[in-house]
Amino acid sequence: MGAIKQQSYQPPGKPNSGIFTPEQLHLLESKMTFRKMTKGTFLFREGDRADYLYFIETGKVKVMKPIEDGCLVVLHLLESGDLYGELNEWGRVSHGFAAEVTHDGMVGMIRQKDLFALLQEHHELAVRFVNWAGLINRITQFKLRDLFLYGKLGALCSVLIRLSRTVGQPAGDGVRIARKYTNTDLAQLIGSTREGVNRMLGKLKRSKVVTIEQGYITIRDIEFLKEICQCRNCPNEVCRL
């Protein structure tokens, strides 16, 4: 443990890549109503009726759920190009999570009844939509697996791997996470506390698995992280936040 290893770098994937064609996305957008998003507001709250799907044209949104001891767990970080929603095929489904805007932007909203009418008319789009729903479910399942099977350290290792795949940049013998994430940010991604993340990062730093300079994390031994969370080397569209 702690030996510095050469990293295998993979470029980040694109949201919804390989699922919807540009023509299909345009078809979906033609049925959307667009509105501005303001930081600190909510697209929806837990318990709200799930009547819409949301397309993030610009800006950023975090999908989260309160858990025990007043902590939050962030299940998804949505950015430009992401589509998100909980299907309400029976007309009585409520959101199980809340979606808070973290950066101003623009969101497209499509009513689920309009969506289902569109899918009935365009069968290829319906097939792609099933693939999209399966992908969202798979991403969520893997995140919960990391948290519940491998504990807080395993969940943190998984988050660092996902960050390396989505916003990572080659940096000598490591991969530098090109955005600053505070311990509070990381804690919300694994349902922990800031103090807990601080202790875990301290252990990883002492073992030379990661280094942190000016708020930026560089992964020096990604194989160690993969071993802790039993990483399956998922494709980029799954290995993301």
Side-chain angles (χ1 to χ4, degrees):
M1 186 175 93
I4 296 177
K5 300 178 182 179
Q6 186 68 30
Q7 307 301 306
S8 57
Y9 175 73
Q10 291 180 276
K14 297 292 185 181
N16 305 319
S17 63
I19 297 182
F20 299 110
T21 66
E23 293 77 16
Q24 288 167 342
L25 283 173
H26 180 72
L27 190 60
L28 289 169
E29 288 176 336
S30 71
K31 299 294 183 179
M32 293 179 184
T33 300
F34 285 84
R35 67 179 177 88
K36 291 183 179 179
M37 304 188 302
T38 303
K39 180 180 178 180
T41 61
F42 285 78
L43 294 184
F44 54 82
R45 295 180 183 270
E46 185 175 356
D48 287 350
R49 186 175 170 130
D51 286 335
Y52 292 89
L53 259 67
Y54 301 87
F55 177 73
I56 311 303
E57 184 173 75
T58 58
K60 298 180 183 179
V61 175
K62 63 180 179 182
V63 179
M64 59 190 181
K65 186 177 180 68
I67 56 174
E68 59 186 15
D69 299 328
C71 294
L72 286 175
V73 59
V74 175
L75 292 176
H76 300 282
L77 291 177
L78 308 178
E79 301 190 3
S80 176
D82 278 327
L83 183 68
Y84 185 80
E86 297 177 64
L87 295 180
N88 188 8
E89 64 274 21
W90 304 111
R92 55 179 180 269
V93 173
S94 298
H95 284 292
F97 313 105
E100 182 182 0
V101 178
T102 59
H103 293 73
D104 294 352
M106 188 75 69
V107 61
M109 304 166 57
I110 179 171
R111 286 186 180 274
Q112 295 212 25
K113 65 178 184 180
D114 295 332
L115 171 65
F116 292 138
L118 200 62
L119 298 182
Q120 287 178 339
E121 184 178 351
H122 300 273
H123 295 169
E124 179 60 29
L125 177 61
V127 172
R128 297 296 183 98
F129 201 85
V130 169
N131 293 339
W132 167 82
L135 174 61
I136 295 298
N137 185 55
R138 190 178 179 198
I139 292 171
T140 304
Q141 284 184 342
F142 280 15
K143 289 180 181 178
L144 294 176
R145 179 208 67 176
D146 294 340
L147 178 60
F148 290 113
L149 292 185
Y150 306 112
K152 294 294 193 289
L153 179 59
L156 178 60
C157 292
S158 174
V159 164
L160 293 175
I161 293 168
R162 291 171 188 271
L163 288 173
S164 77
R165 295 282 292 273
T166 53
V167 293
Q169 296 178 345
D173 57 4
V175 177
R176 182 175 183 264
I177 297 171
R179 295 180 188 171
K180 289 185 178 181
Y181 287 87
T182 67
N183 287 359
T184 299
D185 295 330
L186 296 174
Q188 290 185 353
L189 289 168
I190 65 172
S192 184
T193 63
R194 179 180 59 82
E195 293 80 10
V197 168
N198 186 54
R199 287 192 295 271
M200 289 185 285
L201 282 177
K203 291 180 180 179
L204 294 176
K205 287 167 61 179
R206 288 191 295 273
S207 300
K208 303 186 186 302
V209 176
V210 303
T211 56
I212 303 176
E213 296 180 1
Q214 298 181 335
Y216 291 96
I217 299 172
T218 298
I219 299 172
R220 302 294 182 182
D221 188 353
I222 202 165
E223 296 304 321
F224 175 81
L225 301 181
K226 290 181 176 181
E227 183 177 348
I228 293 294
C229 65
Q230 298 296 297
C231 175
R232 300 181 180 181
N233 292 310
C234 298
N236 282 355
E237 59 267 23
V238 174
C239 188
R240 54 163 300 185
L241 297 177

